[in-house]
Amino acid sequence: MKCAGRITVCALAAMLLFVSCGKAEPESDGLVPMETAKGYEHVAKVESAEPTPSPGVQEPDGNQPQGSEGEPDVTTPPDTVTPEPSQDIVYVAVSKLNLRSAPSLESEVIVQVKYGESFVRIEKGTEGWDKLLYNDQEVYAYAEFLSEKKVADGRDMFSGAVMAEAKKKMDIVDTTKQLYSYDELCGDLKELKDRYPDGFTYQSVGVSADGRNIYEVVFGSPVARKKIIIQAGIHAREYMTSQLVMAQLEFYLSLLGDTVYGGTTVRELFDTVSIHLFPMMNPDGISISQYGLDGISDVLLRADIKNWYDRDKTNGQTDATFENYMKLWKANARGVDLNRNFNYGFAEYSGAKNPGAMKYKGTAPASEAETAALIRRTEELSPVLAISYHASGSVIYWDYGQTGELRTKCKALVDIIHGVNQNEIRYAATDKQDAAGYGDWLVMEKGIPSATVEIGVGAAPLAAEEFAQIWERNAPMWAALAGFAKENSR
């Protein structure tokens, strides 16, 4: 490979020794057939209909009233306010917002506008509606979903020239193939470390049941007061998330330190805020999804996987072939769904009764080496925010029933993420997610703002052809999160 110059984003005080991976996996290429994927779980898709539901007013039982983002909750009449003349600029502060012909939900929708767009407000306070100018036409929008301050929009972070220059140097993480394996992750970490010796550190924070390392990568100053956790690959068949975050790591290593973002340089930004990346939380499960039984060395684990399939086939829990059963695997090698293995909501979540491909929560919270490692490091790091990459649906999940200041912080974080990748924002009122996940635990037990970012639109494992668009939508994410953390957290 052609070696780019050693470009240091942040001078780090110490280097961690590379931990050898010690696993060899068979070669494989070609796309995974998706004929049976639809039977496993719902895959959300971005719709261009009405906006997503609003959090509205919190009900006593924690459920949220039905409404829509960009529209008032019709069950809660707004206060009547005398119209006040105005001539200021306002910005759309939700994913989508209907501009209507009159201050009423029954009036005609003139146009649906997007997050970050700006308009002249000529009157405010007509029973919760503001009057705006749109193409010299007077229209109405619900005031709660407008901001007098310019909202952050990650799409404007880096110029096309900056993106193109960095992309020229990105020749280590292979984003053209579908299967991004544990061995490739290990090799990429070593090669990136050789090229950018002062650019990042990494270490193993745990070992899986089949002997693979669970890595933590630190990008930015090791003494930065504010820390962000990004984790990917916790669900086996969603391994493109690991490929994405490793490409993000190479991208930020490739950027010149004096590249400007949000009025500061990249070097200064990541001296203040550090990224703690867990790029492949479920290396055993990913190996199963990619290589089947050939991806597992331990003979007892191999026997268990085959027995679980036979049981599920006999009981009518699956009609998939053994090959597709493994391709669609979500759990770790012990048959535990790692994102159902956290404490918050664990007792309430039922899921599958026995180990297998998905939805079995385990015998107890943090029963698995992978989740125990992530919990331990999260508690040691005390991050100011965290995000999890999953697949698929191109949506953002964040609503776990949090209230007050924590809810406000979480929604602000979600708006930043949406500003970068334009993923649709989902609410628990209409799209309730399974409990006992990492995000639930972070928000509801630790009080840490968090969101789940779903990439892609097809069924997982995602096809290689989807990566280019996923990359363009998510490349600036780290800088957006760091800028938000720098300005909005104590």
Side-chain angles (χ1 to χ4, degrees):
M1 293 182 180
K2 183 179 178 182
C3 182
R6 293 180 175 179
I7 301 168
T8 305
V9 177
C10 310
L12 302 181
M15 291 173 56
L16 297 174
L17 293 177
F18 173 69
V19 183
S20 176
C21 294
K23 302 292 293 187
E25 296 182 18
E27 289 295 325
S28 177
D29 54 17
L31 300 180
V32 175
M34 290 292 102
E35 290 81 4
T36 62
K38 294 181 181 178
Y40 277 77
E41 66 174 6
H42 169 72
V43 177
K45 289 183 172 60
V46 175
E47 304 290 347
S48 58
E50 283 294 303
T52 51
S54 166
V57 179
Q58 198 72 24
E59 297 289 342
D61 63 357
N63 294 322
Q64 296 165 343
Q66 298 286 333
S68 59
E69 187 174 28
E71 300 285 7
D73 171 20
V74 295
T75 65
T76 308
D79 295 332
T80 301
V81 179
T82 303
E84 178 183 340
S86 177
Q87 195 67 32
D88 56 348
I89 302 295
V90 290
Y91 302 87
V92 178
V94 289
S95 303
K96 305 169 190 174
L97 178 65
N98 290 332
L99 302 186
R100 294 183 175 272
S101 60
S104 165
L105 287 175
E106 286 71 43
S107 63
E108 178 190 1
V109 176
I110 303 301
V111 67
Q112 189 177 78
V113 293
K114 297 180 179 180
Y115 178 88
E117 293 188 43
S118 61
F119 300 91
V120 174
R121 178 169 58 187
I122 55 178
E123 191 175 277
K124 55 184 177 180
T126 307
E127 294 189 344
W129 297 82
D130 285 354
K131 185 188 291 186
L132 313 178
L133 275 183
Y134 171 75
N135 289 343
D136 296 324
Q137 179 182 0
E138 292 183 357
V139 294
Y140 292 84
Y142 198 58
E144 180 182 345
F145 304 112
L146 299 170
S147 172
E148 295 179 1
K149 296 182 179 180
K150 181 174 174 58
V151 294
D153 190 341
R155 291 169 295 170
D156 299 329
M157 279 176 213
F158 300 119
S159 68
V162 167
M163 296 284 288
E165 185 62 28
K167 203 167 185 178
K168 288 178 185 177
K169 304 169 188 173
M170 295 172 60
D171 57 4
I172 293 177
V173 179
D174 188 348
T175 60
T176 64
K177 59 191 297 187
Q178 188 199 29
L179 299 187
Y180 187 75
S181 70
Y182 172 75
D183 271 1
E184 287 178 284
L185 171 82
C186 293
D188 289 347
L189 285 172
K190 184 177 187 305
E191 196 166 349
L192 286 168
K193 189 65 176 173
D194 289 342
R195 182 177 292 185
Y196 304 102
D198 298 325
F200 71 103
T201 63
Y202 70 104
Q203 64 175 336
S204 174
V205 295
V207 179
S208 68
D210 201 40
R212 293 177 174 87
N213 289 307
I214 302 158
Y215 286 110
E216 176 187 356
V217 175
V218 184
F219 176 82
S221 171
V223 296
R225 186 171 61 86
K226 296 179 179 181
K227 302 171 180 66
I228 294 171
I229 284 179
I230 299 175
Q231 68 94 0
I234 200 168
H235 277 154
R237 70 190 186 198
E238 300 170 17
Y239 47 79
M240 189 177 281
T241 60
S242 297
Q243 191 175 25
L244 172 63
V245 297
M246 286 299 293
Q248 288 173 323
L249 173 62
E250 185 173 10
F251 171 71
Y252 283 94
L253 289 168
S254 301
L255 284 176
L256 294 173
D258 59 2
T259 300
V260 175
Y261 157 72
T264 188
T265 66
V266 169
R267 179 181 292 109
E268 292 168 339
L269 179 60
F270 289 104
D271 275 345
T272 305
V273 182
S274 60
I275 302 290
H276 291 254
L277 172 66
F278 299 84
M280 191 176 283
M281 280 305 306
N282 186 6
D284 289 353
I286 285 174
S287 296
I288 294 169
S289 179
Q290 293 175 340
Y291 303 112
L293 287 185
D294 290 339
I296 297 297
S297 300
D298 188 283
V299 293
L300 295 178
L301 292 173
R302 289 163 63 94
D304 283 342
I305 293 166
K306 182 62 168 66
N307 289 336
W308 297 332
Y309 170 74
D310 291 340
R311 178 206 64 212
D312 288 349
K313 187 77 169 177
T314 300
N315 294 340
Q317 299 299 309
T318 183
D319 60 359
T321 65
F322 184 47
E323 179 185 10
N324 277 319
Y325 182 82
M326 290 184 291
K327 284 177 180 175
L328 297 170
W329 194 270
K330 291 181 73 174
N332 69 355
R334 284 163 38 90
V336 176
D337 185 330
L338 297 176
N339 208 42
R340 306 276 79 83
N341 192 232
F342 292 84
N343 185 60
Y344 186 82
F346 184 88
E348 294 78 12
Y349 178 71
S350 54
K353 294 181 179 179
N354 300 295
M358 64 188 71
K359 294 188 179 295
Y360 175 62
K361 64 183 180 180
T363 56
S367 62
E368 306 308 294
E370 299 91 339
T371 46
L374 186 56
I375 289 169
R376 174 175 55 82
R377 287 301 291 144
T378 301
E379 291 177 338
E380 290 170 351
L381 292 168
S382 297
V384 295
L385 62 91
I387 69 168
S388 301
Y389 272 111
H390 283 257
S392 64
S394 292
V395 297
I396 306 167
Y397 295 116
W398 70 283
D399 184 2
Y400 307 108
Q402 63 269 47
T403 59
E405 183 181 0
L406 179 58
R407 186 178 184 87
T408 300
K409 288 181 178 179
C410 288
K411 184 56 170 66
L413 169 62
V414 167
D415 287 339
I416 291 296
I417 295 170
H418 172 79
V420 175
N421 63 19
Q422 297 297 289
N423 281 14
E424 184 180 357
I425 301 171
R426 291 294 179 92
Y427 291 85
T430 57
D431 208 334
K432 187 69 176 176
Q433 298 301 295
D434 288 339
Y438 182 55
D440 313 52
W441 175 77
L442 280 166
V443 173
M444 303 304 290
E445 197 160 289
K446 295 298 177 181
I448 298 169
S450 178
T452 296
V453 180
E454 302 272 355
I455 64 171
V457 294
L462 294 170
E465 288 81 359
E466 287 211 47
F467 189 86
Q469 184 182 53
I470 291 169
W471 168 251
E472 293 300 326
R473 290 165 69 109
N474 289 275
M477 188 68 73
W478 290 16
L481 296 175
F484 175 77
K486 180 181 177 182
E487 300 298 330
N488 294 278
S489 59
R490 292 191 289 271

